[in-house]
Amino acid sequence: RLIHAEIRERHLRATAGGRNPGRSLRFLLPDPAGAGASKRLHLFLRWMIRPDDGVDLGTWSDLFSPSVLTVPLDTHWARMGPRLGFTRRRVAGRFMAREITDALRALDPADPLRFDFPICHLGIRGCCPSALHVRHCQACPLAPVCETGTRRIARLAARGTAREMTVVQPRRHPG
């Protein structure tokens, strides 16, 4: 890790023309071996490596396979990944990104990130908000495969069935 950090620092200095690269360049080009998810880096690689499909450019598709990509973890993936059962981690970072990518890789080993754009955009559109209500789950197209959604919908159905089976006795008022 120490050697990796020295190599990264050397490349950042070269990029900055031999000067101290500064905070902004370190922010733009984070350490992929660090604890962070390196979203910008992984998003850039996704755009460049995945084939041209109207979202991704595919400029480097001849150089690299999409199977090596890691999901560009953002707030939407960090919220939806655990709900879909792709990870048990609660802290967004490099390890959560890897677990989500491994779960997507189980669905499509050749191109696990083909699911990134549609799933992430469900979160962006507000289909899976942080303040989740069962009505969101009922309207979600991922409900049949979502651990959280199926559990919430089943709980609601069980409560509804229990209410239907319960006969409510009218209250008797004294007097």
Side-chain angles (χ1 to χ4, degrees):
R1 180 155 162 76
L2 183 59
I3 293 172
H4 183 281
E6 289 175 17
I7 293 171
R8 177 176 170 264
E9 188 64 27
R10 195 175 320 128
H11 284 293
L12 286 175
R13 282 188 184 281
T15 304
R19 298 179 313 239
N20 184 353
R23 187 174 152 196
S24 60
L25 190 57
R26 283 190 181 93
F27 178 75
L28 182 63
L29 301 170
D31 182 4
S38 303
K39 176 192 170 188
R40 287 177 197 80
L41 174 64
H42 292 298
L43 189 58
F44 173 74
L45 291 172
R46 187 197 110 176
W47 289 335
M48 299 305 284
I49 295 172
R50 285 201 71 247
D52 183 4
D53 60 358
V55 175
D56 301 310
L57 303 173
T59 308
W60 296 347
S61 59
D62 294 341
L63 303 173
F64 301 98
S65 168
S67 66
V68 301
L69 294 171
T70 301
V71 72
L73 185 70
D74 63 359
T75 185
H76 308 291
W77 266 117
R79 183 174 55 248
M80 294 178 68
R83 290 179 180 174
L84 290 167
F86 291 163
T87 182
R88 295 282 176 228
R89 295 182 184 274
R90 295 291 174 198
V91 177
R94 177 174 52 132
F95 296 112
M96 180 186 267
R98 282 186 183 169
E99 283 185 8
I100 292 172
T101 303
D102 289 343
L104 294 173
R105 192 170 283 120
L107 300 173
D108 185 356
D111 188 7
L113 266 56
R114 78 180 176 117
F115 304 105
D116 173 44
F117 188 80
I119 292 175
C120 185
H121 275 73
L122 286 174
I124 292 169
R125 289 192 344 234
C127 295
C128 194
S130 43
L132 189 63
H133 188 273
V134 72
R135 72 176 177 272
H136 297 114
C137 297
Q138 290 170 320
C140 181
L142 297 176
V145 296
C146 177
E147 287 183 4
T148 303
T150 52
R151 189 174 56 246
R152 284 174 173 254
I153 292 168
R155 248 189 273 153
L156 179 67
R159 273 189 270 150
T161 304
R163 284 189 194 127
E164 292 168 9
M165 293 171 45
T166 305
V167 177
V168 178
Q169 297 293 330
R171 283 190 177 174
R172 295 183 188 210
H173 296 283

